[in-house]
Amino acid sequence: MNAVQHLAALSALALAATGACAQFVTGNEAVSRHADGTTRVETPPLPKATLGKPCPATSPACTAGGWLMIETNGGLQECTELYARPGTCRASSFGAEKRPRLWVVKSKGQWLQCERPSLDGKCVTTKTLPNTIVQ
Protein backbone atom coordinates (compact mmCIF):
# COMPACT_ATOMS: atom_id res chain seq x y z
CA MET A 1 0.00 0.00 0.00
CA ASN A 2 1.47 3.35 -1.00
CA ALA A 3 1.31 6.51 1.13
CA VAL A 4 -1.78 7.89 -0.66
CA GLN A 5 -3.71 4.61 -0.24
CA HIS A 6 -2.62 4.43 3.40
CA LEU A 7 -3.79 8.00 4.05
CA ALA A 8 -7.12 7.33 2.30
CA ALA A 9 -7.66 4.19 4.39
CA LEU A 10 -6.88 6.07 7.63
CA SER A 11 -9.23 8.89 6.63
CA ALA A 12 -12.03 6.42 5.92
CA LEU A 13 -11.50 4.75 9.30
CA ALA A 14 -11.50 8.09 11.10
CA LEU A 15 -14.69 9.16 9.32
CA ALA A 16 -16.38 5.85 10.15
CA ALA A 17 -15.31 6.11 13.78
CA THR A 18 -16.64 9.66 14.02
CA GLY A 19 -20.05 8.57 12.77
CA ALA A 20 -20.10 5.40 14.82
CA CYS A 21 -19.59 7.15 18.13
CA ALA A 22 -22.90 9.01 17.80
CA GLN A 23 -25.02 6.59 15.77
CA PHE A 24 -27.43 6.19 18.67
CA VAL A 25 -28.54 8.19 21.68
CA THR A 26 -27.66 6.62 25.03
CA GLY A 27 -30.79 6.41 27.15
CA ASN A 28 -33.19 6.35 24.18
CA GLU A 29 -36.06 4.26 25.56
CA ALA A 30 -37.28 3.59 22.02
CA VAL A 31 -34.45 1.08 21.61
CA SER A 32 -34.27 -1.92 23.89
CA ARG A 33 -31.49 -4.46 23.61
CA HIS A 34 -32.17 -7.88 25.09
CA ALA A 35 -29.83 -10.49 26.60
CA ASP A 36 -30.48 -12.88 23.70
CA GLY A 37 -28.99 -10.32 21.29
CA THR A 38 -32.25 -9.10 19.80
CA THR A 39 -33.16 -5.44 19.60
CA ARG A 40 -36.67 -3.97 19.71
CA VAL A 41 -37.16 -0.52 18.24
CA GLU A 42 -40.21 1.68 18.71
CA THR A 43 -40.91 4.65 16.45
CA PRO A 44 -43.28 7.51 17.28
CA PRO A 45 -46.89 6.38 16.81
CA LEU A 46 -48.95 7.70 13.94
CA PRO A 47 -51.55 10.18 15.13
CA LYS A 48 -55.24 9.40 14.95
CA ALA A 49 -55.70 12.43 12.71
CA THR A 50 -54.91 12.08 9.01
CA LEU A 51 -51.43 13.29 8.12
CA GLY A 52 -51.80 13.50 4.36
CA LYS A 53 -49.35 12.21 1.79
CA PRO A 54 -45.86 11.44 3.15
CA CYS A 55 -43.02 13.67 1.98
CA PRO A 56 -40.48 11.29 0.39
CA ALA A 57 -36.85 11.22 1.50
CA THR A 58 -35.84 11.33 -2.17
CA SER A 59 -37.41 14.77 -2.71
CA PRO A 60 -35.08 17.76 -2.18
CA ALA A 61 -38.16 19.87 -1.33
CA CYS A 62 -38.85 17.58 1.64
CA THR A 63 -35.32 17.70 3.02
CA ALA A 64 -34.42 21.37 2.69
CA GLY A 65 -35.05 22.00 6.40
CA GLY A 66 -32.82 19.15 7.53
CA TRP A 67 -33.35 15.61 8.73
CA LEU A 68 -34.92 13.93 11.71
CA MET A 69 -32.61 11.18 12.94
CA ILE A 70 -34.66 8.19 14.11
CA GLU A 71 -33.67 4.72 15.26
CA THR A 72 -35.68 2.16 13.27
CA ASN A 73 -35.59 -1.60 12.86
CA GLY A 74 -33.28 -0.90 9.91
CA GLY A 75 -30.85 1.10 12.08
CA LEU A 76 -30.38 4.85 12.30
CA GLN A 77 -32.33 6.61 9.55
CA GLU A 78 -32.65 10.17 8.26
CA CYS A 79 -36.36 10.92 7.95
CA THR A 80 -38.49 13.77 6.66
CA GLU A 81 -41.05 13.20 9.43
CA LEU A 82 -40.92 11.81 12.95
CA TYR A 83 -43.29 8.90 12.24
CA ALA A 84 -40.78 7.16 9.94
CA ARG A 85 -43.48 6.08 7.48
CA PRO A 86 -42.33 4.01 4.48
CA GLY A 87 -40.58 6.19 1.91
CA THR A 88 -39.90 9.06 4.34
CA CYS A 89 -36.53 7.72 5.54
CA ARG A 90 -33.17 6.80 4.11
CA ALA A 91 -29.95 5.35 5.50
CA SER A 92 -28.04 7.72 7.76
CA SER A 93 -25.22 9.79 6.31
CA PHE A 94 -24.25 11.03 9.78
CA GLY A 95 -20.46 11.27 10.00
CA ALA A 96 -20.13 11.40 6.21
CA GLU A 97 -22.18 14.51 5.33
CA LYS A 98 -22.76 17.77 7.17
CA ARG A 99 -26.40 18.80 7.19
CA PRO A 100 -28.97 20.07 9.71
CA ARG A 101 -30.26 17.25 11.93
CA LEU A 102 -32.54 16.78 14.93
CA TRP A 103 -32.63 13.56 16.94
CA VAL A 104 -35.97 11.94 17.78
CA VAL A 105 -35.77 9.93 21.01
CA LYS A 106 -38.01 8.60 23.75
CA SER A 107 -37.20 9.50 27.35
CA LYS A 108 -39.35 9.02 30.45
CA GLY A 109 -42.18 7.84 28.20
CA GLN A 110 -42.21 11.03 26.07
CA TRP A 111 -41.08 11.55 22.48
CA LEU A 112 -38.50 14.33 22.21
CA GLN A 113 -36.55 16.17 19.54
CA CYS A 114 -32.96 16.94 20.56
CA GLU A 115 -30.48 19.24 18.89
CA ARG A 116 -27.66 16.69 19.34
CA PRO A 117 -27.47 12.90 19.71
CA SER A 118 -27.62 13.32 23.48
CA LEU A 119 -30.32 13.62 26.11
CA ASP A 120 -28.04 16.07 27.91
CA GLY A 121 -28.55 18.71 25.21
CA LYS A 122 -31.54 20.84 24.39
CA CYS A 123 -34.55 18.56 23.92
CA VAL A 124 -38.21 19.51 23.55
CA THR A 125 -41.27 17.32 23.61
CA THR A 126 -42.70 16.68 20.16
CA LYS A 127 -46.14 17.63 21.52
CA THR A 128 -45.12 21.31 21.62
CA LEU A 129 -43.83 21.44 18.05
CA PRO A 130 -45.93 23.15 15.38
CA ASN A 131 -47.65 20.83 12.90
CA THR A 132 -46.74 17.79 14.96
CA ILE A 133 -49.32 15.46 16.40
CA VAL A 134 -48.02 12.72 18.70
CA GLN A 135 -50.40 10.83 20.94
Side-chain angles (χ1 to χ4, degrees):
M1 183 182 296
N2 67 32
V4 172
Q5 290 171 321
H6 186 69
L7 182 58
L10 286 175
S11 296
L13 284 173
L15 185 59
T18 301
C21 69
Q23 285 291 311
F24 62 91
V25 177
T26 302
N28 183 1
E29 295 171 5
V31 180
S32 57
R33 291 170 175 73
H34 303 279
D36 65 0
T38 60
T39 302
R40 185 180 156 286
V41 181
E42 181 184 357
T43 54
L46 283 168
K48 293 175 183 153
T50 304
L51 290 174
K53 187 176 178 184
C55 203
T58 55
S59 171
C62 297
T63 62
W67 292 97
L68 295 173
M69 305 302 290
I70 303 172
E71 282 284 344
T72 68
N73 286 320
L76 184 66
Q77 300 274 307
E78 297 174 338
C79 302
T80 60
E81 64 177 25
L82 63 104
Y83 308 107
R85 291 188 285 175
T88 64
C89 299
R90 70 177 195 178
S92 172
S93 64
F94 185 74
E97 294 180 22
K98 285 191 161 219
R99 59 182 65 240
R101 292 180 171 87
L102 291 172
W103 300 83
V104 177
V105 299
K106 190 174 186 182
S107 178
K108 299 179 184 171
Q110 287 192 53
W111 288 100
L112 306 172
Q113 271 188 5
C114 301
E115 68 179 4
R116 295 188 309 267
S118 169
L119 289 169
D120 297 336
K122 291 183 182 176
C123 298
V124 296
T125 178
T126 57
K127 290 180 180 180
T128 62
L129 300 171
N131 302 320
T132 301
I133 307 168
V134 177
Q135 303 302 323

